[in-house]
Amino acid sequence: MSTKNLVVKTLNELYDLMGLSHSVIDQSSGFSILYLQDLFSEYPVSSIPFRPNFFSFLFIKDAFGNYTIDDLNFPMVPGTVYFTNPGNFRRFEWHKITDTCLLVFNESYLKEQVHPDIYREFSFLLTETVEPRVLTPEQFVIIEELYTFIYREHHGQSPYKNKVIGSSVVTLLLKIKEYFFQDYNPIYEGNRSSQIVKTFKQNLEQHFRDLASGKTDTQLRVQDYADKQFLHVNYLSSVITSKTGKSITAWIADKTIAEAKVMLQDKSMNIKEIAAKLGFLEASHFSNYFKKHTHQSPADYRRQLV
């Protein structure tokens, strides 16, 4: 795999690869929020080229640098908000940071703590590339109030902090939707490859929505996703891998585990029922699959839930 196709699962992994200390980052819940001025002390700071396996928002109150998303390069200036989702090629260089907040989360966190049907309300999370937006001072003040509150809760000890943060993230996403997407046209987005990736993600999400609702009990194969776009399976596989750094099977696996974790929170469903809902013919097959990707059994995962 080329450096440009290096997929990193967490922010900790990225900073490890860059040789940076990251003791202030805790992504054990699939969510983290931090101020970058607490992390970097010497400039410039340049990242390796990478593709994250997580979502991120970057709120730049006062900083300067450059940011690359796919083949687009943008200056990082005060008052800017950046959003990127899993699969985007990224590279950044910081020249100076005075006040900048980074919020990162994975799909499992969204499904578990924010909303199980997150993409219906916030379809922009599936968007291939979202250009950064310079907000008005009034807009940025509102966004800053939200991420400052989330930061305090994340580093606090409230027994309800996961629910409080989840609700606050909904509010933050609604304001992002208001400021970024009032004039967004989903019909046109980037080139043909971008459209193929976006459609694949939408088809993947819809299929797992159908599984969860009982509309289907059959897992889709890679060939099925190719057929939905009238593409040769090799071409679809090539586009997805080259554009996101992840294979289709990896996308399917990540989605399966994210949905399984949500269902395991529902104690009224036994593991056999969850396996059937996700299209597994045998509960043992599901358990082995879950353990392969998470290093713990579904029963062990369920027992650790608060």
Side-chain angles (χ1 to χ4, degrees):
M1 178 180 291
S2 68
T3 305
K4 188 172 179 177
N5 280 330
L6 176 66
V7 176
V8 295
K9 294 182 179 180
T10 66
L11 202 59
N12 304 76
E13 182 180 339
L14 172 64
Y15 290 155
D16 273 338
L17 292 169
M18 293 174 60
L20 296 172
S21 172
H22 50 76
S23 58
V24 297
I25 306 172
D26 176 16
Q27 280 192 266
S28 58
S29 67
F31 172 92
S32 191
I33 183 169
L34 62 148
Y35 284 91
L36 293 186
Q37 63 266 25
D38 296 335
L39 197 67
F40 305 134
S41 57
E42 296 183 4
Y43 300 95
V45 176
S46 297
S47 77
I48 58 174
F50 69 103
R51 293 180 184 274
N53 202 25
F54 48 83
F55 298 89
S56 66
F57 282 100
L58 188 63
F59 306 107
I60 303 176
K61 185 175 182 180
D62 187 11
F64 296 90
N66 292 291
Y67 205 86
T68 298
I69 305 176
D70 289 334
D71 57 348
L72 303 174
N73 185 265
F74 302 99
M76 292 191 280
V77 295
T80 305
V81 175
Y82 285 76
F83 165 73
T84 52
N85 61 12
N88 287 127
F89 165 71
R90 278 194 277 175
R91 186 173 55 221
F92 60 80
E93 180 178 284
W94 290 107
H95 300 154
K96 176 186 176 183
I97 302 175
T98 302
D99 193 343
T100 292
C101 183
L102 175 64
L103 186 153
V104 297
F105 46 85
N106 60 27
E107 182 172 329
S108 292
Y109 178 84
L110 284 175
K111 295 277 186 174
E112 293 177 70
Q113 301 295 342
V114 181
H115 196 286
D117 198 8
I118 189 73
Y119 300 121
R120 187 180 294 275
E121 178 67 36
F122 303 110
S123 60
F124 69 83
L125 292 172
L126 296 173
T127 301
E128 180 66 11
T129 302
V130 180
E131 294 191 8
R133 181 69 57 89
V134 177
L135 303 182
T136 67
E138 293 77 16
Q139 289 173 333
F140 198 92
V141 165
I142 293 172
I143 293 295
E144 184 183 12
E145 289 173 350
L146 289 169
Y147 70 69
T148 301
F149 176 79
I150 292 171
Y151 179 87
R152 286 200 303 267
E153 288 297 313
H154 182 62
H155 292 276
Q157 301 300 320
S158 169
Y160 308 110
K161 76 174 186 177
N162 286 334
K163 290 185 177 181
V164 171
I165 292 172
S167 298
S168 301
V169 170
V170 170
T171 305
L172 179 63
L173 291 175
L174 284 169
K175 297 308 293 185
I176 294 294
K177 183 178 179 180
E178 175 185 346
Y179 297 155
F180 275 58
F181 293 96
Q182 288 297 301
D183 55 355
Y184 177 70
N185 180 5
I187 302 300
Y188 174 78
E189 179 196 320
N191 56 31
R192 172 61 174 153
S193 294
S194 294
Q195 288 284 3
I196 289 172
V197 172
K198 181 180 180 181
T199 300
F200 165 71
K201 290 181 181 179
Q202 291 172 329
N203 288 338
L204 183 68
E205 174 64 22
Q206 183 60 54
H207 174 60
F208 276 85
R209 189 179 295 151
D210 291 343
L211 283 171
S213 66
K215 290 183 180 179
T216 183
D217 59 0
T218 304
Q219 295 180 351
L220 291 184
R221 305 163 301 156
V222 176
Q223 180 67 61
D224 297 318
Y225 286 104
D227 291 344
K228 284 179 175 292
Q229 297 198 58
F230 305 101
L231 300 172
H232 190 282
V233 64
N234 292 344
Y235 179 65
L236 176 64
S237 297
S238 176
V239 169
I240 298 301
T241 302
S242 65
K243 287 286 288 181
T244 72
K246 287 170 56 178
S247 67
I248 295 178
T249 54
W251 278 101
I252 294 172
D254 286 352
K255 175 66 72 172
T256 302
I257 297 304
E259 295 293 339
K261 287 181 175 180
V262 173
M263 292 183 184
L264 285 165
Q265 293 188 71
D266 183 354
K267 300 297 179 65
S268 68
M269 295 175 62
N270 61 43
I271 291 175
K272 184 177 180 180
E273 291 171 322
I274 292 173
K277 266 189 170 294
L278 290 172
F280 290 88
L281 297 178
E282 300 289 341
S284 60
H285 295 165
F286 166 64
S287 294
N288 290 336
Y289 187 92
F290 190 90
K291 190 169 185 178
K292 174 184 176 182
H293 292 283
T294 66
H295 306 294
Q296 60 183 159
S297 69
D300 288 340
Y301 178 80
R302 173 170 271 177
R303 276 192 288 270
Q304 76 179 16
L305 296 173
V306 178

